[in-house]
Amino acid sequence: MLTHAIQDFQRGVYIPYCLDGSFFDLRRLTAKTKSLKTLIQEIIFADDCALVAHTEQDLQQMLDRFSGASKLVGLKISLAKTEGLHHPAPYSSPPPLTITIDDTPRANVNHLKYLGSTISCDGSLNREIDTRISKASQLLGRLRNRVLNEHNIRLSTKLKVYNAVVLPSLL
């Protein structure tokens, strides 16, 4: 359905990259002969989909195509779960997005969760880091009474539980 929706639509976000191992030399990305670019229009996982575009008009066209394609195959977009996140250029204050799906305006948010991670409109990771620290702290508190303070469990087992439960939540 998504392939049908955005076929022949060459707008989205172009990501430049290098294949020569120079990932940390950002100056190489400006050299046209030494870098490649790929078009990213959607980020999908299972039944979640994020559409990405540089301009509001391109995003609206993608949403219109996506909505039309979903109707063709008998699917319905969940309007309650559909949000818009605008990531403006630094130090700019553009007007909020006015994205609609089937003439229904969509909410603009400053933060949204996608696949368990918090994405902020300013590109900041503060909220994501705070959330991860909070989750790890909650897990550690739950483990304290059941595992960590238990004298019958070996230290190596406690470390394995910590590494398997707490660290993945934190990282």
Side-chain angles (χ1 to χ4, degrees):
M1 176 195 76
L2 189 56
T3 303
H4 175 75
I6 57 176
Q7 70 183 13
D8 303 326
F9 190 73
Q10 294 302 311
R11 292 185 212 106
V13 175
Y14 282 95
I15 306 282
Y17 62 94
C18 296
L19 296 176
D20 64 356
S22 301
F23 292 115
F24 298 106
D25 186 2
L26 297 179
R27 290 172 290 171
R28 302 214 15 128
L29 292 177
T30 60
K32 291 183 169 85
T33 59
K34 297 178 183 169
S35 67
L36 303 169
K37 63 181 180 177
T38 189
L39 176 64
I40 305 293
Q41 295 174 308
E42 78 283 338
I43 304 167
I44 55 176
F45 182 80
D47 64 343
D48 286 332
C49 178
L51 299 177
V52 293
H54 273 295
T55 67
E56 183 176 344
Q57 294 80 15
D58 291 348
L59 183 59
Q60 185 63 59
Q61 282 184 301
M62 289 172 78
L63 277 169
D64 293 342
R65 288 169 165 247
F66 185 74
S67 177
S70 66
K71 289 175 186 171
L72 283 176
V73 296
L75 296 175
K76 185 177 179 184
I77 297 173
S78 174
L79 296 178
K81 295 180 182 179
T82 304
E83 300 172 322
L85 179 80
H86 183 216
H87 183 62
Y91 310 112
S92 66
S93 56
L97 295 176
T98 54
I99 299 296
T100 62
I101 297 177
D102 298 330
D103 298 325
T104 304
R106 298 312 327 132
N108 290 313
V109 295
N110 292 325
H111 307 281
L112 64 84
K113 275 213 172 283
Y114 184 69
L115 301 179
S117 295
T118 304
I119 303 170
S120 299
C121 66
D122 61 359
S124 167
L125 294 174
N126 294 341
R127 186 173 286 229
E128 175 68 11
I129 292 169
D130 290 344
T131 301
R132 289 185 179 270
I133 290 172
S134 174
K135 286 179 182 178
S137 177
Q138 290 172 359
L139 288 170
L140 193 58
R142 288 186 203 145
L143 286 175
R144 181 171 286 127
N145 294 334
R146 296 179 182 167
V147 177
L148 301 179
N149 290 342
E150 188 65 41
H151 298 292
N152 297 331
I153 300 176
R154 292 184 303 171
L155 179 61
S156 62
T157 305
K158 291 178 184 181
L159 285 172
K160 287 178 183 177
V161 170
Y162 175 82
N163 288 333
V165 177
V166 178
L167 280 184
S169 295
L170 182 62
L171 301 177

